Amino acid sequence: MEQGRVVMKCKVKKKAEKKFRQGYPLILAEDLEQVPTTQDWVTFLDSRGQYLATGYLSPQNKGAGWLLDFSQRELDEAFFVEKMTLAKEKRQPYYLDEGTSAFRLFNGEGDGVGGLTIELYQDFAVFSWYNETLYHKRQLLVNAFQQVFPEVVGAYEKIRFKHADLPESQHLYGADAPEPLLVQENFVNYAVYLNEELMTGIFLDQKEVRGRLAEGLASGLRVLNMFSYTGAFSVASAMGGAVATTSVDLAKRSLEKTREQFRINGIDPLTQKIHVMDVFSYFAYARKKDLTFDLIVLDPPSFARNKKQVFTVQKNYGELVADSLSILADQGLLIASTNAANLSVAKFKKSVEEQFQLAQVRYRLLEEQRLPGDFTVNPAFTEGNYLKVFIYEIKK
Ligand code: SAH
């Protein structure tokens, strides 16, 4: 079957036409007269039966599909080669950055194809497929990728949609990556594992925050990294001159992974504190021991369940801030971060600052960070700009 061929036609409801004409790429089930089940490309028609856009249907979170083109082009290999060529051009600053060898090459709808992201780790790529229809078209997309990125020697793929017969992670093509593979970001080393479950060991969307820590924000400070995962913020801080780091994460594997991150940067992990612990238990422990910190990083998952409770950023972020204030030095820094897409910048900021007011501390917003440049945002789809990071100076 010719994968570029458009077969199905599908009518859009009148009330949804306007947003699509303005380039909004995400289709909801309620935007369509009917939602056919098809893994082919779909031509979307307006309520008068005229061409509106081309795309595909597949459930993904709250969405029902993505629009990829508004100009009646065929969605063939040449189409995807063009998208990927443009994406590569946009990443030139990262290619030119000597101290950075890992970044996002293709950011879904931000680069014109909702449902697929591709990251570069040194000479290897990691594809993440977010829905089944695009996965069905993967050969077309992988062919296009290999044309535009011939220097990538091997690739892995992550299956981020429910499927009974597919693993979460598998080799896709080319050479096998070493385990761990060492990459660099702002001249700091990070160990990544490209074929372990869905995550690689580093969240590339935080590169600018790690960059700020590595270039001096944490210099001379005692840093507490909550929800530390593989300790990336701790390592960036230590490399940037932090006098001490403490990493706290519930997951057992975080201990060895964090040690490894220090080791590959020439830091003896025994000189750093790493706790496999619930963050709320750690706050209680630190208070009991009268421990204080000069810089606290709060970067929780948007949703987490442990034995005792369910954590959501919407409901529980305030508690994290209040607890942090109780162990922050009289003058300190707080990095409040969330990747919760369903929480607005204003609401998140309010939930943090409310706690400052309740605790009656003085605060000043030093910096706000959103997604870095390699996480391209589609201007017509600003909810794709999910990352929110605020760096505050606090005085008690
Ligand atoms: N801040 C990290 C990424 C965090 S990922 C970074 O930038 O690299 C989320 C992490 O939170 C996971 O490693 C998970 O194990 C941890 N986690 C979830 N709930 C937790 C809890 N209650 N206490 C401690 N860690 C928790």
Side-chain angles (χ1 to χ4, degrees):
M1 190 187 67
E2 229 279 50
Q3 284 201 321
R5 199 163 52 106
V6 171
V7 176
M8 182 76 72
K9 288 193 162 70
C10 182
K11 224 173 194 185
V12 165
K13 285 187 193 161
K14 191 154 183 31
K15 64 175 187 329
E17 276 174 25
K18 191 171 165 213
K19 67 175 178 184
F20 292 144
R21 281 195 211 287
Q22 289 168 345
Y24 188 81
L26 181 67
I27 306 160
L28 302 177
E30 69 210 42
D31 297 331
L32 306 177
E33 298 286 353
Q34 289 171 15
V35 188
T37 306
T38 173
Q39 290 190 328
D40 265 315
W41 303 127
V42 175
T43 298
F44 293 90
L45 306 175
D46 67 15
S47 51
R48 289 171 304 136
Q50 301 291 311
Y51 175 90
L52 190 59
T54 322
Y56 67 91
L57 293 167
S58 202
Q60 179 184 325
N61 303 325
K62 285 179 188 151
W66 292 99
L67 300 182
L68 308 190
D69 182 58
F70 299 87
S71 62
Q72 307 211 39
R73 279 194 58 181
E74 198 168 326
L75 303 186
D76 54 8
E77 198 168 300
F79 175 84
F80 293 103
V81 164
E82 201 173 285
K83 295 279 179 214
M84 289 187 189
T85 304
L86 273 172
K88 190 175 194 180
E89 279 164 14
K90 283 189 190 151
R91 274 66 179 183
Q92 281 313 305
Y94 295 95
Y95 279 106
L96 294 172
D97 179 347
E98 262 180 70
T100 297
S101 65
F103 48 91
R104 187 162 282 200
L105 293 177
F106 196 85
N107 193 39
E109 76 289 347
D111 286 299
V113 185
L116 169 67
T117 65
I118 309 169
E119 295 189 329
L120 180 71
Y121 293 89
Q122 199 83 42
D123 302 320
F124 294 88
V126 174
F127 286 62
S128 290
W129 305 100
Y130 285 83
N131 67 64
E132 194 163 345
T133 298
L134 207 59
Y135 190 71
H136 177 73
K137 302 276 189 194
R138 76 207 248 269
Q139 203 51 56
L140 186 65
L141 287 128
V142 172
N143 288 348
F145 179 82
Q146 287 185 289
Q147 273 192 48
V148 180
F149 297 89
E151 68 283 6
V152 169
V153 300
Y156 292 83
E157 63 179 0
K158 310 290 179 186
I159 316 295
R160 290 181 174 269
F161 54 90
K162 284 207 182 81
H163 196 288
D165 307 321
L166 290 169
E168 276 187 328
S169 177
Q170 65 183 350
H171 183 254
L172 178 58
Y173 73 79
D176 288 332
E179 293 198 320
L181 170 70
L182 297 193
V183 297
Q184 274 207 323
E185 186 194 82
N186 302 305
F187 296 99
V188 178
N189 297 324
Y190 296 95
V192 296
Y193 293 78
L194 300 190
N195 201 15
E196 271 187 9
E197 302 166 3
L198 292 178
M199 301 186 295
T200 59
I202 186 167
F203 289 104
L204 297 177
D205 55 0
Q206 293 280 11
K207 64 167 59 62
E208 281 171 12
V209 180
R210 284 188 295 267
R212 296 289 289 114
L213 293 167
E215 75 191 17
L217 187 69
S219 178
L221 305 184
R222 297 164 299 166
V223 173
L224 174 62
N225 178 9
M226 292 305 221
F227 307 92
S228 55
Y229 181 44
T230 61
F233 286 132
S234 311
V235 174
S237 300
M239 295 303 282
V243 292
T245 72
T246 300
S247 305
V248 182
D249 197 289
L250 198 55
K252 284 200 184 66
R253 60 176 178 192
S254 67
L255 177 62
E256 194 33 55
K257 299 246 184 211
T258 304
R259 284 181 177 151
E260 180 176 51
Q261 303 288 22
F262 283 115
R263 231 180 275 122
I264 60 167
N265 284 287
I267 299 170
D268 179 355
L270 295 176
T271 62
Q272 311 295 318
K273 294 214 160 56
I274 306 166
H275 297 277
V276 176
M277 208 182 212
D278 184 284
V279 292
F280 291 104
S281 310
Y282 185 80
F283 281 124
Y285 164 85
R287 275 193 293 266
K288 205 166 88 194
K289 298 273 179 187
D290 283 328
L291 302 179
T292 57
F293 298 89
D294 308 303
L295 191 168
I296 300 180
V297 185
L298 292 177
D299 178 39
S302 46
F303 175 88
R305 191 194 298 273
N306 72 10
K307 280 175 223 135
K308 283 174 245 154
Q309 58 180 349
V310 173
F311 173 93
T312 68
V313 164
Q314 278 84 347
K315 288 209 188 96
N316 307 101
Y317 207 95
E319 290 166 51
L320 291 176
V321 175
D323 277 332
S324 297
L325 292 176
S326 73
I327 59 169
L328 193 67
D330 287 343
Q331 184 164 341
L333 299 175
L334 182 74
I335 302 186
S337 166
T338 181
N339 61 2
N342 53 357
L343 184 63
S344 73
V345 181
K347 267 202 182 141
F348 176 59
K349 192 159 180 252
K350 184 162 169 266
S351 74
V352 173
E353 294 185 358
E354 234 165 42
Q355 296 299 323
F356 297 159
Q357 288 147 14
L358 270 172
Q360 298 188 320
V361 297
R362 282 177 290 159
Y363 62 93
R364 195 160 66 93
L365 181 61
L366 296 183
E367 243 177 77
E368 176 182 344
Q369 300 255 7
R370 303 301 306 275
L371 284 175
D374 51 335
F375 283 65
T376 329
V377 175
N378 180 336
F381 188 74
T382 49
E383 60 256 54
N385 196 359
Y386 59 86
L387 186 72
K388 298 164 267 285
V389 185
F390 293 106
I391 308 182
Y392 289 101
E393 182 184 62
I394 313 275
K395 284 185 184 161
K396 289 189 178 166

